[in-house]
Structure formats: C-alpha cells, structure tokens
Amino acid sequence: MKNILSKKILFIICGGVSAYKSLETIRLFRKNGFEIKTILTKAAKEFVTPLSVASLSQGKVYEDLFSLENETEMDHISLSRWADVVVVAPATANTLSKLSMGSSEDLAAAVILASNKQIFLVPAMNVRMWEHQSTKNNFKILKDYGYKFIGPEIGDMACGEYGEGKMSEPLNIFNEISNYLNLKKKNNKIKALVTAGPTNEYIDPVRFITNKSSGKQGYQLAKSLSKRGFDTTLISGPTNLDIEDNIKLIKVQTAKEMFEATQKNLPTDIAVFTAAVADFKIVNQKKNKIKKNEDFFLKFEKNIDILNYVSKHNSMRPKLVIGFAAETDELEKNATTKLSDKNCDWIIANDVSKKDAGFNSDHNEVTIYYKDKKIQKENLSLKKKSEIAEEIVDRIVAQIN
Ligand code: PMT
C-alpha cells in the first residue's frame, strides 16, 4: 500500500447495517495520511454514532443541511469543493434511488448534487433489493451520470440471505480510491488535446456550410480526461455546450482556425480528434451578404487535414494519436484505411447511418481499431456518449501509464 499525503476524502455514511465497515475504512484512510470529513445521514446515526466517527476520522462530522454552525463554518457547496473525492459507503437502495432523481433533501444528497469531484458509491443491501428492476435502473442512470461503483460483492449477508449486495471490504475500497488518486496525480503532468464539434465554412458573412456534429462526444471525452487528472485542452467548433472551468476551452469557427489553435497547443502527449472538420472551404467567399437576385457559384478547395498534420509531425507527434471515423458504409474497410493513411495509433469508428447513434445523438456505438496491439479491434456497444467516453479514457489511461 502506498502512502499518499494530503488527500482529502469526504466520506458519506448512509443508514445500513454495513455502516460498521465504514469505520474500519475511515481508519485505514487515516492511517495512510488521508484527511477525512464525514457526513452522517439521519438513518446512519441508527447504526454508528457521530462520536465514534469523529474520533476515528479525527475530522469534523456534518449532519444537518440547515445547521447554522455548519453553514457558517463550511457550507454544503464548500464541503463538496474541499474534497478530492467523495465516497458514499454504505450506499443503500434508498440512497441510489434519491441520487438517481437528483434529490437534495438532506445534506448528503445536496453535497453530492453540488459536487464537481468523482463520486464513488459503495452499495450495500439485501440481494433482492439489489436485483430489483428499480435498483437496476437507478444503477444504470447513476453510471450514466459518471458515478463510479465499488462492489457490491457476492456473499453472506447480515440478514441471513446469500447473494449479491454485500458491501465491499474496507481494503478493497481503500485500494480503489488510492489507485484512482495516484493515477490522477500522475496524469496531472500529461497533456491531452481534444478537437470537437463541426466547423463552419463561410459563403458570405451570414451563411455557411456545416454538418450535424453537436460536439457531445468530444466534450464528454474532454470531461472524462480532465476528471482523471489529465491537463486537458478542448478545441471546439460552434456548439451549444458548456464545459468545466478546469478544461482549457478554445472556441473556433472554421477548419483553418481549428488547425491554427491545434498548432499553438502542440506539443501534447495525447491527441483525440473527434471534430467533424469540413473537408472543403469556399475559395470565393463573399465579403458582403449575397443578394437574392445575384448570380453566384461556389468554388471549393481542400482544408488542411489537422489529424494528418499532427500524426505525421516530425518533432511533435503526440505519444498517442486517436482519430475518429464517421462512416455510412464499409465501416471496417474505411476505418482501417484511415488508421494507416492518417498514421493514427487508434481509429474509433462510428456507423453514422444508424438512427440513434453518432451525430447529434446522446448515444454512440463505436469500434476501436488499434495499430500495434494484439487485439486489433474492440466494439463498445450502444450506450450514452458519457459512458463511451469513460470506456475510451479507461483504455487511454491503461496505454499511457
Ligand atoms: O459531435 P457529435 O454530435 O457528438 O457526434 C460525434 C461524431 C459522430 C462527430 C464523432 O463521433 C466522429 O465520428 N467524429 C469524426 C467525424 C469525421 O469527420 O470523420 P472523418 O472520417 O471525416 O475524419 C477522420 C478523422 O480526421 C477525424 O478524427 C477528424 O477529426 C479528422 N479530420 C478530418 C478532416 C480534417 N480536415 N481534419 C481532421 O482532423
């Protein structure tokens, strides 16, 4: 076990019989130099006392959303900002249900809703409760929101039944969280650049040619990279999306501007090209708005291929270059051709002829083609773009570290 100093954990204990395991988990974190603040829900106090939690954590225990003392000292927003990571253990069926609805009815729920940090949920409940369709749905929703789960395990339960639902052991929880924080610290020194969205190629000052890219896939990738600690830059064509402050966002309109912004942000260690860059720009762009009765024709010329420029750069080629391929036919053939022609390490292909995936959808289904790996391709089945991004970033983390 590695000793990590000055790491801050906000530990939320909910009301379940496994709450005693949280005390042991807190002890482990403290022993290894972590700073802990704790929130106890009303139900948690039926299982563990604030006094035992305070003495083990050697930190403040918070209980009420509307406590004058707490709110003047550290309000629920500051509490969520203070932590490096938030751990909810045990996370009961009721907690999962409340969180999936975005409830903020008590301090624990309000802090989680307001948090900008990774949240780890450690479920613990009876096997039937865990297997219930409503819990399954909540689990899926919370995964979509980006919450990470530790466990539950299969085993004997406090209620006498056997099955899946048992809370993970303190050492497992400790190892998962410390690995996450260790990697995040390491990734801090690694630069990642993502291009996203469409580009607009202007015909006159008010008219342009563009495509259906919403930027969603690229923004989710930038979010996932930043959450894992990478020093992330997002170069985005015009979109309606927002991004967290810790991501350096550069907004552009045209492919030329996207290229120039990319050049300025080299060198980088990782480059992911999700943008749907227009292949052509208009040469005879008009300075003034074209009149209705005016005769005109459009003359095109090729835009520079940004991915190609970066992946073939003599001195500044990133360690990992990932291209995307939007295909309507012959997905594998076209993707593998792009993999080699554009000198990528990976090409991530999406079949954009499908109705509920690809351009402007919240979902995607992709196949990753690798250049130098034993496994040459991997399919990530249809799911939310946030989850696709997480799965891609899992693979980036494994490759780069
Ligand atoms: O934005 P969303 O609505 O979320 O949709 C996501 C997406 C479908 C746009 C995305 O998943 C995707 O497939 N992006 C690539 C789209 C594309 O233009 O593919 P392409 O096959 O034309 O280009 C291949 C690669 O070269 C891409 O990585 C592209 O960014 C890059 N390229 C292309 C042309 C160019 N001039 N410069 C480039 O960098």
Side-chain angles (χ1 to χ4, degrees), residues 195 197 212-218 273-279 303-307 323-327 338 342 350 352 358-361 364 385:
T195 68
K212 285 179 5 187
S213 170
S214 61
K216 287 177 190 170
Q217 188 62 80
F273 296 89
T274 48
V277 187
D279 288 321
N303 269 323
I304 185 155
D305 191 308
I306 308 167
L307 162 58
F324 267 71
E327 305 298 339
K338 280 177 189 164
K342 296 199 181 202
N350 27 205
V352 291
F359 282 104
N360 201 22
S361 160
N364 213 355
K385 282 181 175 166

PDB file of all heavy atoms in Angstrom, residues 195 197 212-218 273-279 303-307 323-327 338 342 350 352 358-361 364 385, ligand 1:
ATOM      1  N   THR A 195     -10.221  17.673 -30.141  1.00  0.00           N
ATOM      2  CA  THR A 195     -10.984  18.556 -31.029  1.00  0.00           C
ATOM      3  C   THR A 195     -12.426  18.045 -31.052  1.00  0.00           C
ATOM      4  O   THR A 195     -12.658  16.843 -30.953  1.00  0.00           O
ATOM      5  CB  THR A 195     -10.434  18.580 -32.474  1.00  0.00           C
ATOM      6  OG1 THR A 195     -10.650  17.309 -33.086  1.00  0.00           O
ATOM      7  CG2 THR A 195      -8.949  18.941 -32.507  1.00  0.00           C
ATOM      8  N   GLY A 197     -16.839  18.941 -32.263  1.00  0.00           N
ATOM      9  CA  GLY A 197     -17.861  19.753 -32.931  1.00  0.00           C
ATOM     10  C   GLY A 197     -17.631  19.889 -34.428  1.00  0.00           C
ATOM     11  O   GLY A 197     -16.702  19.316 -34.990  1.00  0.00           O
ATOM     12  N   LYS A 212     -23.726  17.994 -39.044  1.00  0.00           N
ATOM     13  CA  LYS A 212     -24.634  17.732 -37.919  1.00  0.00           C
ATOM     14  C   LYS A 212     -23.935  17.494 -36.577  1.00  0.00           C
ATOM     15  O   LYS A 212     -24.591  17.179 -35.590  1.00  0.00           O
ATOM     16  CB  LYS A 212     -25.493  16.507 -38.237  1.00  0.00           C
ATOM     17  CG  LYS A 212     -26.579  16.812 -39.230  1.00  0.00           C
ATOM     18  CD  LYS A 212     -27.469  15.641 -39.627  1.00  0.00           C
ATOM     19  CE  LYS A 212     -27.320  14.330 -38.962  1.00  0.00           C
ATOM     20  NZ  LYS A 212     -28.101  13.253 -39.519  1.00  0.00           N
ATOM     21  N   SER A 213     -22.617  17.639 -36.513  1.00  0.00           N
ATOM     22  CA  SER A 213     -21.929  17.344 -35.246  1.00  0.00           C
ATOM     23  C   SER A 213     -22.366  18.325 -34.153  1.00  0.00           C
ATOM     24  O   SER A 213     -22.370  19.535 -34.358  1.00  0.00           O
ATOM     25  CB  SER A 213     -20.417  17.427 -35.440  1.00  0.00           C
ATOM     26  OG  SER A 213     -19.777  17.383 -34.194  1.00  0.00           O
ATOM     27  N   SER A 214     -22.696  17.758 -32.977  1.00  0.00           N
ATOM     28  CA  SER A 214     -23.134  18.587 -31.846  1.00  0.00           C
ATOM     29  C   SER A 214     -21.973  18.891 -30.902  1.00  0.00           C
ATOM     30  O   SER A 214     -22.094  19.749 -30.028  1.00  0.00           O
ATOM     31  CB  SER A 214     -24.197  17.826 -31.053  1.00  0.00           C
ATOM     32  OG  SER A 214     -23.620  16.621 -30.553  1.00  0.00           O
ATOM     33  N   GLY A 215     -20.892  18.120 -31.025  1.00  0.00           N
ATOM     34  CA  GLY A 215     -19.747  18.261 -30.109  1.00  0.00           C
ATOM     35  C   GLY A 215     -19.875  17.381 -28.875  1.00  0.00           C
ATOM     36  O   GLY A 215     -18.951  17.304 -28.067  1.00  0.00           O
ATOM     37  N   LYS A 216     -21.037  16.687 -28.702  1.00  0.00           N
ATOM     38  CA  LYS A 216     -21.286  15.949 -27.452  1.00  0.00           C
ATOM     39  C   LYS A 216     -20.191  14.908 -27.171  1.00  0.00           C
ATOM     40  O   LYS A 216     -19.701  14.803 -26.047  1.00  0.00           O
ATOM     41  CB  LYS A 216     -22.646  15.243 -27.510  1.00  0.00           C
ATOM     42  CG  LYS A 216     -23.814  16.196 -27.385  1.00  0.00           C
ATOM     43  CD  LYS A 216     -25.129  15.449 -27.523  1.00  0.00           C
ATOM     44  CE  LYS A 216     -26.303  16.396 -27.644  1.00  0.00           C
ATOM     45  NZ  LYS A 216     -27.545  15.728 -28.003  1.00  0.00           N
ATOM     46  N   GLN A 217     -19.827  14.125 -28.192  1.00  0.00           N
ATOM     47  CA  GLN A 217     -18.843  13.059 -27.949  1.00  0.00           C
ATOM     48  C   GLN A 217     -17.490  13.644 -27.532  1.00  0.00           C
ATOM     49  O   GLN A 217     -16.849  13.171 -26.597  1.00  0.00           O
ATOM     50  CB  GLN A 217     -18.696  12.177 -29.202  1.00  0.00           C
ATOM     51  CG  GLN A 217     -17.843  10.937 -28.975  1.00  0.00           C
ATOM     52  CD  GLN A 217     -18.432  10.001 -27.937  1.00  0.00           C
ATOM     53  OE1 GLN A 217     -19.330   9.229 -28.226  1.00  0.00           O
ATOM     54  NE2 GLN A 217     -17.942  10.064 -26.701  1.00  0.00           N
ATOM     55  N   GLY A 218     -17.070  14.699 -28.210  1.00  0.00           N
ATOM     56  CA  GLY A 218     -15.783  15.324 -27.897  1.00  0.00           C
ATOM     57  C   GLY A 218     -15.776  15.972 -26.516  1.00  0.00           C
ATOM     58  O   GLY A 218     -14.805  15.851 -25.762  1.00  0.00           O
ATOM     59  N   PHE A 273      -9.062  13.297 -31.905  1.00  0.00           N
ATOM     60  CA  PHE A 273      -9.717  14.127 -32.922  1.00  0.00           C
ATOM     61  C   PHE A 273     -11.150  13.649 -33.142  1.00  0.00           C
ATOM     62  O   PHE A 273     -11.395  12.763 -33.953  1.00  0.00           O
ATOM     63  CB  PHE A 273      -8.912  14.062 -34.231  1.00  0.00           C
ATOM     64  CG  PHE A 273      -7.536  14.656 -34.081  1.00  0.00           C
ATOM     65  CD1 PHE A 273      -6.466  13.873 -33.666  1.00  0.00           C
ATOM     66  CD2 PHE A 273      -7.317  15.993 -34.317  1.00  0.00           C
ATOM     67  CE1 PHE A 273      -5.205  14.424 -33.502  1.00  0.00           C
ATOM     68  CE2 PHE A 273      -6.058  16.568 -34.148  1.00  0.00           C
ATOM     69  CZ  PHE A 273      -4.991  15.777 -33.738  1.00  0.00           C
ATOM     70  N   THR A 274     -12.083  14.243 -32.384  1.00  0.00           N
ATOM     71  CA  THR A 274     -13.490  13.860 -32.585  1.00  0.00           C
ATOM     72  C   THR A 274     -14.202  14.847 -33.510  1.00  0.00           C
ATOM     73  O   THR A 274     -15.334  14.601 -33.910  1.00  0.00           O
ATOM     74  CB  THR A 274     -14.291  13.847 -31.262  1.00  0.00           C
ATOM     75  OG1 THR A 274     -14.030  15.029 -30.568  1.00  0.00           O
ATOM     76  CG2 THR A 274     -13.987  12.668 -30.416  1.00  0.00           C
ATOM     77  N   ALA A 275     -13.568  15.968 -33.808  1.00  0.00           N
ATOM     78  CA  ALA A 275     -14.258  17.010 -34.588  1.00  0.00           C
ATOM     79  C   ALA A 275     -14.624  16.507 -35.981  1.00  0.00           C
ATOM     80  O   ALA A 275     -13.893  15.722 -36.591  1.00  0.00           O
ATOM     81  CB  ALA A 275     -13.358  18.235 -34.706  1.00  0.00           C
ATOM     82  N   ALA A 276     -15.783  16.967 -36.438  1.00  0.00           N
ATOM     83  CA  ALA A 276     -16.189  16.693 -37.816  1.00  0.00           C
ATOM     84  C   ALA A 276     -15.769  17.925 -38.625  1.00  0.00           C
ATOM     85  O   ALA A 276     -16.550  18.866 -38.816  1.00  0.00           O
ATOM     86  CB  ALA A 276     -17.686  16.462 -37.883  1.00  0.00           C
ATOM     87  N   VAL A 277     -14.514  17.914 -39.028  1.00  0.00           N
ATOM     88  CA  VAL A 277     -13.941  19.083 -39.715  1.00  0.00           C
ATOM     89  C   VAL A 277     -14.404  19.072 -41.172  1.00  0.00           C
ATOM     90  O   VAL A 277     -14.356  18.021 -41.827  1.00  0.00           O
ATOM     91  CB  VAL A 277     -12.388  19.006 -39.679  1.00  0.00           C
ATOM     92  CG1 VAL A 277     -11.772  20.290 -40.222  1.00  0.00           C
ATOM     93  CG2 VAL A 277     -11.889  18.713 -38.273  1.00  0.00           C
ATOM     94  N   ALA A 278     -14.815  20.227 -41.660  1.00  0.00           N
ATOM     95  CA  ALA A 278     -15.236  20.289 -43.070  1.00  0.00           C
ATOM     96  C   ALA A 278     -14.027  19.988 -43.950  1.00  0.00           C
ATOM     97  O   ALA A 278     -12.944  20.535 -43.727  1.00  0.00           O
ATOM     98  CB  ALA A 278     -15.769  21.680 -43.371  1.00  0.00           C
ATOM     99  N   ASP A 279     -14.226  19.114 -44.912  1.00  0.00           N
ATOM    100  CA  ASP A 279     -13.101  18.753 -45.784  1.00  0.00           C
ATOM    101  C   ASP A 279     -12.775  19.876 -46.753  1.00  0.00           C
ATOM    102  O   ASP A 279     -11.656  19.967 -47.244  1.00  0.00           O
ATOM    103  CB  ASP A 279     -13.438  17.468 -46.554  1.00  0.00           C
ATOM    104  CG  ASP A 279     -13.403  16.258 -45.626  1.00  0.00           C
ATOM    105  OD1 ASP A 279     -12.508  16.227 -44.760  1.00  0.00           O
ATOM    106  OD2 ASP A 279     -14.286  15.377 -45.741  1.00  0.00           O
ATOM    107  N   ASN A 303      -9.531  21.719 -47.230  1.00  0.00           N
ATOM    108  CA  ASN A 303      -8.972  22.197 -45.968  1.00  0.00           C
ATOM    109  C   ASN A 303      -7.798  21.322 -45.590  1.00  0.00           C
ATOM    110  O   ASN A 303      -7.736  20.145 -45.992  1.00  0.00           O
ATOM    111  CB  ASN A 303     -10.031  22.083 -44.858  1.00  0.00           C
ATOM    112  CG  ASN A 303     -10.852  23.340 -44.715  1.00  0.00           C
ATOM    113  OD1 ASN A 303     -10.334  24.440 -44.860  1.00  0.00           O
ATOM    114  ND2 ASN A 303     -12.137  23.177 -44.449  1.00  0.00           N
ATOM    115  N   ILE A 304      -6.922  21.851 -44.769  1.00  0.00           N
ATOM    116  CA  ILE A 304      -5.817  21.018 -44.282  1.00  0.00           C
ATOM    117  C   ILE A 304      -6.389  19.941 -43.352  1.00  0.00           C
ATOM    118  O   ILE A 304      -7.356  20.191 -42.624  1.00  0.00           O
ATOM    119  CB  ILE A 304      -4.738  21.859 -43.557  1.00  0.00           C
ATOM    120  CG1 ILE A 304      -3.558  20.959 -43.183  1.00  0.00           C
ATOM    121  CG2 ILE A 304      -5.272  22.574 -42.326  1.00  0.00           C
ATOM    122  CD1 ILE A 304      -2.251  21.695 -43.028  1.00  0.00           C
ATOM    123  N   ASP A 305      -5.833  18.754 -43.421  1.00  0.00           N
ATOM    124  CA  ASP A 305      -6.263  17.686 -42.520  1.00  0.00           C
ATOM    125  C   ASP A 305      -5.464  17.815 -41.221  1.00  0.00           C
ATOM    126  O   ASP A 305      -4.257  17.559 -41.191  1.00  0.00           O
ATOM    127  CB  ASP A 305      -6.049  16.317 -43.176  1.00  0.00           C
ATOM    128  CG  ASP A 305      -6.723  15.219 -42.391  1.00  0.00           C
ATOM    129  OD1 ASP A 305      -6.491  15.128 -41.168  1.00  0.00           O
ATOM    130  OD2 ASP A 305      -7.509  14.453 -43.002  1.00  0.00           O
ATOM    131  N   ILE A 306      -6.148  18.228 -40.153  1.00  0.00           N
ATOM    132  CA  ILE A 306      -5.463  18.550 -38.885  1.00  0.00           C
ATOM    133  C   ILE A 306      -4.849  17.289 -38.268  1.00  0.00           C
ATOM    134  O   ILE A 306      -3.698  17.277 -37.844  1.00  0.00           O
ATOM    135  CB  ILE A 306      -6.455  19.206 -37.886  1.00  0.00           C
ATOM    136  CG1 ILE A 306      -7.171  20.384 -38.558  1.00  0.00           C
ATOM    137  CG2 ILE A 306      -5.740  19.678 -36.636  1.00  0.00           C
ATOM    138  CD1 ILE A 306      -8.376  20.920 -37.808  1.00  0.00           C
ATOM    139  N   LEU A 307      -5.645  16.229 -38.260  1.00  0.00           N
ATOM    140  CA  LEU A 307      -5.171  14.957 -37.708  1.00  0.00           C
ATOM    141  C   LEU A 307      -3.911  14.493 -38.439  1.00  0.00           C
ATOM    142  O   LEU A 307      -2.907  14.110 -37.817  1.00  0.00           O
ATOM    143  CB  LEU A 307      -6.298  13.920 -37.814  1.00  0.00           C
ATOM    144  CG  LEU A 307      -5.946  12.442 -37.697  1.00  0.00           C
ATOM    145  CD1 LEU A 307      -5.267  12.121 -36.380  1.00  0.00           C
ATOM    146  CD2 LEU A 307      -7.198  11.581 -37.822  1.00  0.00           C
ATOM    147  N   GLY A 323      -7.776   9.031 -33.857  1.00  0.00           N
ATOM    148  CA  GLY A 323      -8.697   9.658 -34.801  1.00  0.00           C
ATOM    149  C   GLY A 323     -10.077   9.034 -34.669  1.00  0.00           C
ATOM    150  O   GLY A 323     -10.231   7.940 -34.111  1.00  0.00           O
ATOM    151  N   PHE A 324     -11.090   9.729 -35.139  1.00  0.00           N
ATOM    152  CA  PHE A 324     -12.439   9.171 -35.234  1.00  0.00           C
ATOM    153  C   PHE A 324     -12.756   8.990 -36.713  1.00  0.00           C
ATOM    154  O   PHE A 324     -12.179   9.678 -37.566  1.00  0.00           O
ATOM    155  CB  PHE A 324     -13.467  10.106 -34.586  1.00  0.00           C
ATOM    156  CG  PHE A 324     -13.739   9.774 -33.144  1.00  0.00           C
ATOM    157  CD1 PHE A 324     -12.785  10.028 -32.180  1.00  0.00           C
ATOM    158  CD2 PHE A 324     -14.949   9.198 -32.759  1.00  0.00           C
ATOM    159  CE1 PHE A 324     -13.026   9.722 -30.847  1.00  0.00           C
ATOM    160  CE2 PHE A 324     -15.209   8.886 -31.429  1.00  0.00           C
ATOM    161  CZ  PHE A 324     -14.241   9.155 -30.467  1.00  0.00           C
ATOM    162  N   ALA A 325     -13.662   8.091 -37.013  1.00  0.00           N
ATOM    163  CA  ALA A 325     -14.108   7.931 -38.397  1.00  0.00           C
ATOM    164  C   ALA A 325     -15.619   7.828 -38.394  1.00  0.00           C
ATOM    165  O   ALA A 325     -16.190   6.944 -37.741  1.00  0.00           O
ATOM    166  CB  ALA A 325     -13.489   6.682 -39.002  1.00  0.00           C
ATOM    167  N   ALA A 326     -16.250   8.766 -39.075  1.00  0.00           N
ATOM    168  CA  ALA A 326     -17.712   8.722 -39.193  1.00  0.00           C
ATOM    169  C   ALA A 326     -18.023   8.085 -40.543  1.00  0.00           C
ATOM    170  O   ALA A 326     -17.699   8.656 -41.585  1.00  0.00           O
ATOM    171  CB  ALA A 326     -18.273  10.137 -39.112  1.00  0.00           C
ATOM    172  N   GLU A 327     -18.614   6.896 -40.510  1.00  0.00           N
ATOM    173  CA  GLU A 327     -18.835   6.155 -41.761  1.00  0.00           C
ATOM    174  C   GLU A 327     -20.310   5.813 -41.951  1.00  0.00           C
ATOM    175  O   GLU A 327     -21.011   5.518 -40.986  1.00  0.00           O
ATOM    176  CB  GLU A 327     -18.028   4.845 -41.747  1.00  0.00           C
ATOM    177  CG  GLU A 327     -16.532   5.011 -41.501  1.00  0.00           C
ATOM    178  CD  GLU A 327     -15.821   5.824 -42.564  1.00  0.00           C
ATOM    179  OE1 GLU A 327     -16.352   5.936 -43.694  1.00  0.00           O
ATOM    180  OE2 GLU A 327     -14.745   6.381 -42.283  1.00  0.00           O
ATOM    181  N   LYS A 338      -8.120   4.615 -42.867  1.00  0.00           N
ATOM    182  CA  LYS A 338      -7.790   5.885 -42.181  1.00  0.00           C
ATOM    183  C   LYS A 338      -6.721   5.649 -41.113  1.00  0.00           C
ATOM    184  O   LYS A 338      -5.849   6.485 -40.907  1.00  0.00           O
ATOM    185  CB  LYS A 338      -9.045   6.500 -41.547  1.00  0.00           C
ATOM    186  CG  LYS A 338      -9.882   7.237 -42.575  1.00  0.00           C
ATOM    187  CD  LYS A 338     -11.158   7.809 -42.017  1.00  0.00           C
ATOM    188  CE  LYS A 338     -12.021   8.330 -43.161  1.00  0.00           C
ATOM    189  NZ  LYS A 338     -13.390   8.576 -42.815  1.00  0.00           N
ATOM    190  N   LYS A 342      -3.656   7.883 -42.086  1.00  0.00           N
ATOM    191  CA  LYS A 342      -3.506   9.076 -41.237  1.00  0.00           C
ATOM    192  C   LYS A 342      -2.526   8.832 -40.091  1.00  0.00           C
ATOM    193  O   LYS A 342      -2.442   9.641 -39.160  1.00  0.00           O
ATOM    194  CB  LYS A 342      -4.868   9.524 -40.701  1.00  0.00           C
ATOM    195  CG  LYS A 342      -5.832   9.974 -41.810  1.00  0.00           C
ATOM    196  CD  LYS A 342      -6.952  10.825 -41.247  1.00  0.00           C
ATOM    197  CE  LYS A 342      -7.918  11.262 -42.330  1.00  0.00           C
ATOM    198  NZ  LYS A 342      -8.684  12.452 -41.960  1.00  0.00           N
ATOM    199  N   ASN A 350     -17.488   5.138 -35.961  1.00  0.00           N
ATOM    200  CA  ASN A 350     -18.933   5.029 -35.667  1.00  0.00           C
ATOM    201  C   ASN A 350     -19.726   4.979 -36.966  1.00  0.00           C
ATOM    202  O   ASN A 350     -19.431   5.694 -37.921  1.00  0.00           O
ATOM    203  CB  ASN A 350     -19.488   6.107 -34.737  1.00  0.00           C
ATOM    204  CG  ASN A 350     -18.753   7.427 -34.736  1.00  0.00           C
ATOM    205  OD1 ASN A 350     -18.791   8.159 -33.766  1.00  0.00           O
ATOM    206  ND2 ASN A 350     -18.079   7.739 -35.813  1.00  0.00           N
ATOM    207  N   VAL A 352     -22.498   6.129 -38.730  1.00  0.00           N
ATOM    208  CA  VAL A 352     -23.409   7.269 -38.573  1.00  0.00           C
ATOM    209  C   VAL A 352     -24.681   7.134 -39.416  1.00  0.00           C
ATOM    210  O   VAL A 352     -25.482   8.060 -39.481  1.00  0.00           O
ATOM    211  CB  VAL A 352     -22.690   8.615 -38.851  1.00  0.00           C
ATOM    212  CG1 VAL A 352     -21.683   8.926 -37.767  1.00  0.00           C
ATOM    213  CG2 VAL A 352     -22.022   8.632 -40.213  1.00  0.00           C
ATOM    214  N   GLY A 358     -24.281   8.299 -33.046  1.00  0.00           N
ATOM    215  CA  GLY A 358     -23.431   9.153 -33.890  1.00  0.00           C
ATOM    216  C   GLY A 358     -23.776  10.612 -33.793  1.00  0.00           C
ATOM    217  O   GLY A 358     -23.994  11.145 -32.694  1.00  0.00           O
ATOM    218  N   PHE A 359     -23.907  11.280 -34.937  1.00  0.00           N
ATOM    219  CA  PHE A 359     -24.136  12.724 -34.981  1.00  0.00           C
ATOM    220  C   PHE A 359     -25.343  13.155 -34.151  1.00  0.00           C
ATOM    221  O   PHE A 359     -26.445  12.614 -34.308  1.00  0.00           O
ATOM    222  CB  PHE A 359     -24.390  13.179 -36.430  1.00  0.00           C
ATOM    223  CG  PHE A 359     -23.128  13.286 -37.247  1.00  0.00           C
ATOM    224  CD1 PHE A 359     -22.809  12.322 -38.192  1.00  0.00           C
ATOM    225  CD2 PHE A 359     -22.260  14.359 -37.084  1.00  0.00           C
ATOM    226  CE1 PHE A 359     -21.651  12.417 -38.962  1.00  0.00           C
ATOM    227  CE2 PHE A 359     -21.105  14.460 -37.843  1.00  0.00           C
ATOM    228  CZ  PHE A 359     -20.790  13.490 -38.782  1.00  0.00           C
ATOM    229  N   ASN A 360     -25.119  14.109 -33.264  1.00  0.00           N
ATOM    230  CA  ASN A 360     -26.162  14.823 -32.545  1.00  0.00           C
ATOM    231  C   ASN A 360     -27.038  13.969 -31.621  1.00  0.00           C
ATOM    232  O   ASN A 360     -28.032  14.452 -31.094  1.00  0.00           O
ATOM    233  CB  ASN A 360     -27.056  15.590 -33.539  1.00  0.00           C
ATOM    234  CG  ASN A 360     -27.800  16.709 -32.836  1.00  0.00           C
ATOM    235  OD1 ASN A 360     -27.366  17.162 -31.773  1.00  0.00           O
ATOM    236  ND2 ASN A 360     -28.904  17.141 -33.396  1.00  0.00           N
ATOM    237  N   SER A 361     -26.662  12.713 -31.431  1.00  0.00           N
ATOM    238  CA  SER A 361     -27.439  11.866 -30.528  1.00  0.00           C
ATOM    239  C   SER A 361     -26.751  11.890 -29.161  1.00  0.00           C
ATOM    240  O   SER A 361     -25.594  12.281 -29.050  1.00  0.00           O
ATOM    241  CB  SER A 361     -27.450  10.448 -31.103  1.00  0.00           C
ATOM    242  OG  SER A 361     -27.771   9.519 -30.113  1.00  0.00           O
ATOM    243  N   ASN A 364     -23.895   6.562 -28.582  1.00  0.00           N
ATOM    244  CA  ASN A 364     -22.986   6.182 -29.655  1.00  0.00           C
ATOM    245  C   ASN A 364     -22.645   4.701 -29.529  1.00  0.00           C
ATOM    246  O   ASN A 364     -22.758   4.114 -28.450  1.00  0.00           O
ATOM    247  CB  ASN A 364     -21.694   7.029 -29.593  1.00  0.00           C
ATOM    248  CG  ASN A 364     -21.130   7.295 -30.972  1.00  0.00           C
ATOM    249  OD1 ASN A 364     -21.649   6.777 -31.972  1.00  0.00           O
ATOM    250  ND2 ASN A 364     -20.078   8.079 -31.048  1.00  0.00           N
ATOM    251  N   LYS A 385     -23.035   8.706 -24.632  1.00  0.00           N
ATOM    252  CA  LYS A 385     -21.714   9.198 -25.037  1.00  0.00           C
ATOM    253  C   LYS A 385     -20.797   9.385 -23.823  1.00  0.00           C
ATOM    254  O   LYS A 385     -19.590   9.236 -23.937  1.00  0.00           O
ATOM    255  CB  LYS A 385     -21.852  10.487 -25.842  1.00  0.00           C
ATOM    256  CG  LYS A 385     -22.283  10.208 -27.276  1.00  0.00           C
ATOM    257  CD  LYS A 385     -22.411  11.448 -28.122  1.00  0.00           C
ATOM    258  CE  LYS A 385     -22.729  11.030 -29.569  1.00  0.00           C
ATOM    259  NZ  LYS A 385     -23.191  12.131 -30.406  1.00  0.00           N
TER     260      LYS A 385
HETATM  261  O1  PMT B   1     -20.355  15.725 -32.272  1.00  0.00           O
HETATM  262  P1  PMT B   1     -21.370  14.636 -32.030  1.00  0.00           P
HETATM  263  O2  PMT B   1     -22.773  15.038 -32.440  1.00  0.00           O
HETATM  264  O3  PMT B   1     -21.296  14.100 -30.636  1.00  0.00           O
HETATM  265  O4  PMT B   1     -21.014  13.410 -32.999  1.00  0.00           O
HETATM  266  C1  PMT B   1     -19.840  12.703 -32.829  1.00  0.00           C
HETATM  267  C2  PMT B   1     -19.172  12.398 -34.179  1.00  0.00           C
HETATM  268  C3  PMT B   1     -20.057  11.475 -34.982  1.00  0.00           C
HETATM  269  C4  PMT B   1     -18.903  13.698 -34.957  1.00  0.00           C
HETATM  270  C5  PMT B   1     -17.788  11.718 -33.822  1.00  0.00           C
HETATM  271  O5  PMT B   1     -18.030  10.560 -33.102  1.00  0.00           O
HETATM  272  C6  PMT B   1     -16.975  11.411 -35.076  1.00  0.00           C
HETATM  273  O6  PMT B   1     -17.148  10.397 -35.704  1.00  0.00           O
HETATM  274  N1  PMT B   1     -16.038  12.322 -35.451  1.00  0.00           N
HETATM  275  C7  PMT B   1     -15.266  12.275 -36.688  1.00  0.00           C
HETATM  276  C8  PMT B   1     -16.083  12.833 -37.804  1.00  0.00           C
HETATM  277  C9  PMT B   1     -15.369  12.892 -39.121  1.00  0.00           C
HETATM  278  O7  PMT B   1     -15.360  13.911 -39.715  1.00  0.00           O
HETATM  279  O8  PMT B   1     -14.753  11.826 -39.515  1.00  0.00           O
HETATM  280  P2  PMT B   1     -13.869  11.773 -40.876  1.00  0.00           P
HETATM  281  O9  PMT B   1     -13.906  10.365 -41.242  1.00  0.00           O
HETATM  282  O10 PMT B   1     -14.333  12.752 -41.873  1.00  0.00           O
HETATM  283  O11 PMT B   1     -12.423  12.227 -40.404  1.00  0.00           O
HETATM  284  C10 PMT B   1     -11.472  11.304 -39.898  1.00  0.00           C
HETATM  285  C11 PMT B   1     -10.627  11.941 -38.823  1.00  0.00           C
HETATM  286  O12 PMT B   1      -9.858  13.023 -39.370  1.00  0.00           O
HETATM  287  C12 PMT B   1     -11.425  12.547 -37.678  1.00  0.00           C
HETATM  288  O13 PMT B   1     -10.723  12.274 -36.491  1.00  0.00           O
HETATM  289  C13 PMT B   1     -11.416  14.047 -37.969  1.00  0.00           C
HETATM  290  O14 PMT B   1     -11.477  14.831 -36.780  1.00  0.00           O
HETATM  291  C14 PMT B   1     -10.064  14.215 -38.649  1.00  0.00           C
HETATM  292  N2  PMT B   1     -10.022  15.325 -39.626  1.00  0.00           N
HETATM  293  C15 PMT B   1     -10.765  15.270 -40.762  1.00  0.00           C
HETATM  294  C16 PMT B   1     -10.666  16.292 -41.685  1.00  0.00           C
HETATM  295  C17 PMT B   1      -9.815  17.380 -41.434  1.00  0.00           C
HETATM  296  N3  PMT B   1      -9.708  18.381 -42.280  1.00  0.00           N
HETATM  297  N4  PMT B   1      -9.105  17.412 -40.300  1.00  0.00           N
HETATM  298  C18 PMT B   1      -9.202  16.413 -39.376  1.00  0.00           C
HETATM  299  O15 PMT B   1      -8.549  16.477 -38.314  1.00  0.00           O
END
